[in-house]
Every structure is written in structure tokens, then in C-alpha cells.
């Protein structure tokens, strides 16, 4: 049995979530996340989320922990490929460990207003719940509740 480890939600969010230590009961992806992240999901700065473009997207290395490093198949800095399992809707996404303004081959930046976040839910992979828009949505007017 492995000793408790840092929740992958805390690592992937860049430390914006406060998580408990995790005792993974199996090697399944979601077992590396604390109950709070599994239930509520996590927020990641859109500056660290890129869209994978092109035919070939490197797979995550299963023995290396949360982050993949540069390898013979990928020159990307430390990253995690998400939204990549069968049944995932939308494009494969790549979460970078660190913000970079560098152009990375095979990755496109998301249009993002300053300070925007991307919400993810934890499943067999991280799946985006929201993807930032280039413009904020129009404000909705408050409606009073109906009178009984």
C-alpha cells in the first residue's frame, strides 16, 4: 500500500485548491484526487490550458505521476493531457504546469480574458465544464421569484 500523497487536483490547479492527502486505492486516474476535488471539480487558470492541434498528441506516462516531462515524443514542458479518453467531448486539452508565453508546437492558446479560469470535473480524465470565452457573457437581469 502506498503512503498518502498530494492530491493531483492541488498540483493541477497550481495550488489554488486546498486538498487532503490522498490514499489511492487503485491506479485509476480519479483515485489520485481527494473527495472534495472528485465532488466539486477544480479550477485551472486559462493561461495554463492549451488545445492540442494536429494528428499526434503524446499520451500521458502512467509511471511519472501527475506531470509528463519533455520526451522523445514531445518537447512540451511539464504537462498533463486531459479530455483524451473515449467518450470525451471536444478537443484534447493540455494543462501546463507553468505559465509560458512561448509558442509550443502542436498547442494552441485559448482565448482568455485576464484572470479567467477553466472548470474541470474529475472522471476517467479531467473534462472541461466551461471553456473561457473571448468575451464575457451578457449579464442576466435578476428576476424576482414568483409570488405564490
Amino acid at each position: 500500500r502506498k503512503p498518502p500523497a498530494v492530491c493531483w487536483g492541488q498540483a493541477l490547479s497550481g495550488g489554488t485548491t486546498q486538498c487532503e492527502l490522498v490514499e489511492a486505492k487503485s491506479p485509476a486516474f480519479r483515485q489520485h484526487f481527494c473527495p472534495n476535488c472528485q465532488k466539486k471539480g477544480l479550477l485551472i487558470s486559462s493561461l495554463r490550458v492549451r488545445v492540442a492541434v494536429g494528428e499526434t498528441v503524446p499520451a500521458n506516462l502512467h509511471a511519472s505521476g501527475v506531470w509528463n516531462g519533455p520526451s522523445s515524443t514531445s518537447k512540451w514542458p511539464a504537462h498533463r493531457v486531459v479530455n483524451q479518453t473515449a467518450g470525451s467531448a471536444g478537443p484534447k486539452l493540455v494543462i501546463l504546469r507553468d505559465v509560458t508565453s512561448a509558442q509550443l508546437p502542436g498547442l494552441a492558446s485559448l482565448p482568455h480574458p485576464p484572470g479567467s479560469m477553466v472548470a474541470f470535473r474529475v472522471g476517467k480524465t479531467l473534462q472541461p465544464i466551461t471553456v473561457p470565452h473571448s468575451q464575457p457573457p451578457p449579464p442576466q437581469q435578476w428576476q424576482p421569484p414568483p409570488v405564490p
Side-chain angles (χ1 to χ4, degrees):
R1 192 171 209 182
K2 290 185 175 183
V6 172
C7 171
W8 282 15
Q10 187 166 347
L12 287 162
S13 72
T16 61
T17 60
Q18 297 299 317
C19 301
E20 307 166 16
L21 290 177
V22 175
E23 283 191 60
K25 295 174 178 67
S26 78
F29 178 77
R30 77 179 286 114
Q31 292 295 313
H32 296 281
F33 293 82
C34 71
N36 188 52
C37 287
Q38 288 185 31
K39 182 177 179 182
K40 296 181 180 179
L42 53 144
L43 295 173
I44 299 173
S45 168
S46 62
L47 295 172
R48 295 179 38 240
V49 180
R50 304 279 177 101
V51 178
V53 293
E55 298 295 318
T56 306
V57 177
N60 291 312
L61 303 174
H62 296 287
S64 65
V66 65
W67 301 114
N68 301 297
S71 68
S72 61
T73 59
S74 170
K75 303 301 181 210
W76 300 338
H79 66 280
R80 181 89 195 169
V81 180
V82 299
N83 204 46
Q84 84 289 13
T85 58
S88 293
K92 294 177 183 178
L93 300 174
V94 175
I95 300 170
L96 302 173
R97 183 180 63 196
D98 303 306
V99 174
T100 181
S101 59
Q103 294 293 324
L104 299 171
L107 295 178
S109 297
L110 292 173
H112 56 276
S116 66
M117 305 293 272
V118 181
F120 288 91
R121 84 173 122 253
V122 178
K124 290 183 180 181
T125 182
L126 288 186
Q127 298 171 318
I129 299 169
T130 60
V131 175
H133 303 280
S134 54
Q135 298 177 0
Q140 295 185 357
Q141 289 195 324
W142 179 80
Q143 298 288 326
V147 178

